[in-house]
Each structure stands twice: as C-alpha cells, then as structure tokens.
Amino acid sequence: MNAPHPAPLPAAAGRPARPARAGTGRPGAAASFVRFVVLGGTVGLAASAAVTALATLVPWALANAAVTVASTAAATELHARFTFAGTRSTWRQQMQSAGSAVAAYAVTSAAMAALHACVSAPGVLLAQGVYLSAAALAGLGRFLVLRLVVFAAGRTPPPTTPPAPAAPAGPAGPAAPAGPVTSAASAASAERPTTHVPRPRRSRPGPPLP
C-alpha cells in the first residue's frame, strides 16, 4: 500500500520592504536658532566690512543702503537653504524677510531714540546695553516670524515607501494521486473472503406412475 505524498509547505511570504529613510525634515527650534544666529552673525560681520570698504568710494548712506539690501537677501537665502526650509527662497519669502528686517531695524532705532529722550548724555556701556538688548529682542522676534510665518511650510518630510504586500501563500498542496488509492481499494477487496452459496438444483419430474 503506497503512502500518500506529504503536501508541500506553503510558500514563504515575501519579507516587507524596508521603508525609505525619512529625510532630515525641518530642523528643530533649537537647531534652527543656532543656525540663525551663526549665519546671521556671519552675514552681519561681512556686511559691516563691506560698508566700510564701499564707503570709501560712495557716500556712506548709499553704501549702507546697498549693503543692507544685499546682506538681507543673502541672509534670507542662507536661512531658506540651511536654517528653516532646505530649499531656495522665493520672491514672496524675500519680501517677507525684508519686512521683518525693517521691523527689527525700527525696534532698535526706537529703543535708541527712547534712550536719548530719557538720558541726555548716556554712557557708552548704557548705550551699548540698550542697543544690544533691543537687537536681541528684535532678532528673536525676527527668528519667530521667519520660522512660523515665512518658512512655515518650506520643508516637508519626504513620503515614506509603504511596505510591499506579503506574497500570497501557495496552494495547500496537490491532491493525492488516484493511483495509490485505487490500488489500495483493489487490494482490500482482494483480501476480503468471499463465500459461495450453491444454487439449489431443480429436480426433473420422473415418469408418470402407471
């Protein structure tokens, strides 16, 4: 009697593909603030040197205006690429950033005007303290405006690749061949004892009695 073949194991499901690495995404507030201070300070120092050099060729007011416009545009581009958004700045972002720079300049000018209105001859330390405090406050306000308004939707994390669906399991297995089963049934029927029942013989009628 042939034993039926064991059914093959179902096909192993395919392993899900690893999701794609998410991009760095938008940097956190602390990282953005550090970059804002470093990049803004670097551009400020470069602008100060540029004004000094350009003022030897043109009037100081004109040199200051030209360098202020150029440095503001350069700082906005750097903030767009490295501080907040990770992409190039747009004209709308440039205009909004310029507006925040003008507002910061107005805050520092108002603080110095208020100081001279309250103190007729302020000392150097007092004047520097008031100016730096106003500049720090204006810089913090500009940072918040750039992060929350100008570059609020600048960088979005890239879409992650969904895991690949698992491969469908294979069939449970081929049906058992009919050959062994038929042979087993034939063998069982052959081994079963059979009894022969003799049929009764019909008696022929004898000759009629005289």
Side-chain angles (χ1 to χ4, degrees), residues 81-107:
R81 290 176 179 268
F82 303 106
T83 306
F84 299 108
T87 57
R88 296 182 59 181
S89 62
T90 62
W91 281 107
R92 181 184 63 83
Q93 292 171 340
Q94 285 283 354
M95 293 299 102
Q96 291 176 338
S97 178
S100 66
V102 171
Y105 175 78
V107 169

Side-chain angles (χ1 to χ4, degrees), residues 148-186:
L148 301 179
V149 178
V150 180
F151 301 108
R155 173 182 289 183
T156 55
T160 56
T161 305
V181 177
T182 306
S183 302
S186 302

Side-chain angles (χ1 to χ4, degrees), residues 20-26 157-158:
R21 273 190 178 183
T24 53
R26 192 179 182 187

Side-chain angles (χ1 to χ4, degrees), residues 17-186:
R18 289 184 179 180
R21 273 190 178 183
T24 53
R26 192 179 182 187
S32 296
F33 185 74
V34 171
R35 298 178 188 181
F36 176 80
V37 172
V38 172
L39 294 177
T42 302
V43 173
L45 292 175
S48 177
V51 168
T52 303
L54 190 60
T56 60
L57 304 176
V58 298
W60 187 88
L62 181 58
N64 185 34
V67 171
T68 299
V69 172
S71 62
T72 301
T76 302
E77 185 66 24
L78 290 175
H79 291 323
R81 290 176 179 268
F82 303 106
T83 306
F84 299 108
T87 57
R88 296 182 59 181
S89 62
T90 62
W91 281 107
R92 181 184 63 83
Q93 292 171 340
Q94 285 283 354
M95 293 299 102
Q96 291 176 338
S97 178
S100 66
V102 171
Y105 175 78
V107 169
T108 54
S109 299
M112 296 305 295
L115 173 64
H116 285 282
C118 297
V119 180
S120 57
V124 177
L125 293 180
L126 178 60
Q128 287 294 320
V130 171
Y131 177 79
L132 291 177
S133 299
L137 181 62
L140 179 60
R142 186 164 184 261
F143 168 77
L144 294 176
V145 169
L146 292 180
R147 178 175 175 81
L148 301 179
V149 178
V150 180
F151 301 108
R155 173 182 289 183
T156 55
T160 56
T161 305
V181 177
T182 306
S183 302
S186 302

